[in-house]
Amino acid sequence: MMDVSGVGFPSKVPWKMMSAEELENQYCPSRWVVRLGAEESLRTYLQIGIEALPFFLFFHGGYWQSGSKDESAFMVDPLTAQGVAVVIVAYDIAPKGTLDQMVDQVTRSVAFVQKRYPSNKGIYLCGHSAGAHLAAMMLLANWTKHGVTPNLKGFFLVSGVFDLEPIVYTSQNVALQLTLEDAQRNSPQLKVAQAQPADPTCRVLVVVGQFDSPEFHRQSWEFYQTLCQGEWKASFEELHDVDHFEIVENLTQKDNVLTQIILKTIFQ
């Protein structure tokens, strides 16, 4: 076992003072679940083909190595019922895809939606866990090389990881094979304060669940603070009585707090 506290890291960063066992624990969301269990909530996805609608793009979690778009269509009903077009974005998970490739695929997906539906009423990106990281990377995207500037109006970053350096020292990296350089290059926490919003009215909501681990709380709060240091229109929410999984599973409920925040943001 590797003790990351003994390799000369600055003491002010909490995760760098943790043993390998504790760091592993912090980045294993299932260990922070306080409920007795829950069924996966899967809903039929009715694709809407009308162009002049707000578009909600969802990026699934799974530590960049599990999950799929087909398993992630559970939240669409409350949104499509209100006239929102929902797109579940696929990307090649590890070990097939590298993190750089995933970011590129997600970027191309956002650009494709804008090109295919140029009269959209706004594109809103939502990601959970690893998906929140991929969504956050879109804050840094160079849209010029894709020949389009997406009409991005909002980001919903749910229980995300924004500084990937700790992941390098966990078992999650067995499939990812991230080097420290890879992690730094793909860490929006390190870069977003210097990025310029294409639309200064675009809102970025950082959300974390009450029962997420302390490291997930730290990551979300510090990313929110970094956004505020830049020119981003950012806000932060801690949702009570939910863990890392319930926070997104509950999007099946039209009266759920996060569902209502999303709809209010889209239709404000």
Side-chain angles (χ1 to χ4, degrees):
M1 298 289 287
M2 178 180 67
D3 188 339
V4 299
S5 65
V7 291
F9 291 135
S11 60
K12 65 179 181 179
V13 183
W15 74 265
K16 292 181 178 179
M17 299 298 295
M18 297 176 186
S19 67
E21 181 180 6
E22 176 57 19
L23 185 63
E24 184 75 18
N25 187 50
Q26 288 285 329
Y27 284 92
C28 182
S30 61
R31 298 183 187 178
W32 296 84
V33 175
V34 295
R35 55 189 166 143
L36 297 179
E39 295 183 14
E40 287 294 328
S41 187
L42 299 176
R43 296 296 180 96
T44 301
Y45 174 39
L46 177 62
Q47 186 174 9
I48 296 179
I50 302 173
E51 181 173 337
L53 292 175
F55 278 73
F56 179 90
L57 277 60
F58 181 77
F59 310 131
H60 67 81
Y63 266 127
W64 307 276
Q65 57 198 283
S66 65
S68 71
K69 67 179 180 65
D70 296 326
E71 297 171 352
S72 304
F74 52 83
M75 89 294 290
V76 304
D77 288 357
L79 300 178
T80 56
Q82 298 298 319
V84 179
V86 180
V87 178
I88 311 298
V89 178
Y91 53 92
D92 287 333
I93 58 177
K96 179 181 179 181
T98 67
L99 195 57
D100 287 315
Q101 289 170 335
M102 296 178 215
V103 172
D104 182 66
Q105 289 170 346
V106 167
T107 307
R108 291 176 184 276
S109 295
V110 177
F112 172 82
V113 170
Q114 179 62 41
K115 291 176 180 178
R116 178 65 179 81
Y117 303 102
S119 298
N120 68 76
K121 300 302 182 183
I123 296 176
Y124 298 82
L125 307 185
C126 179
H128 171 243
S129 196
H133 161 264
L134 293 173
M137 288 296 289
M138 299 304 96
L139 297 168
L140 308 172
N142 178 6
W143 298 111
T144 302
K145 71 176 185 178
H146 294 280
V148 67
T149 300
N151 185 25
L152 294 173
K153 293 297 184 181
F155 288 74
F156 307 101
L157 308 177
V158 184
S159 294
V161 180
F162 309 105
D163 176 4
L164 302 194
E165 186 177 348
I167 302 300
V168 173
Y169 304 100
T170 71
S171 64
Q172 307 298 340
N173 200 34
V174 173
L176 291 169
Q177 292 293 297
L178 291 176
T179 65
L180 183 58
E181 181 183 0
D182 294 332
Q184 292 172 341
R185 183 173 62 253
N186 288 289
S187 289
Q189 170 68 28
L190 304 181
K191 301 179 179 181
V192 74
Q194 289 74 43
Q196 295 294 320
D199 182 351
T201 67
C202 179
R203 297 183 62 182
V204 183
L205 173 62
V206 183
V207 191
V208 68
Q210 179 181 352
F211 300 124
D212 266 308
S213 77
E215 270 294 284
F216 273 85
H217 276 261
R218 180 188 67 82
Q219 288 253 4
S220 290
W221 177 251
E222 290 186 0
F223 191 60
Y224 161 68
Q225 290 183 311
T226 300
L227 288 165
C228 292
Q229 292 169 8
E231 299 181 10
W232 301 95
K233 189 177 181 181
S235 57
F236 178 87
E237 291 281 348
E238 178 185 318
L239 300 189
H240 298 293
D241 298 324
V242 291
D243 60 39
H244 187 81
F245 305 102
E246 289 170 321
I247 195 171
V248 69
E249 290 169 357
N250 288 350
L251 289 176
T252 59
Q253 305 166 14
K254 66 178 182 179
D255 295 327
N256 171 54
V257 173
L258 184 55
T259 304
Q260 290 300 308
I261 290 174
I262 290 171
L263 289 171
K264 183 178 179 181
T265 301
I266 293 174
F267 292 110
Q268 65 179 352

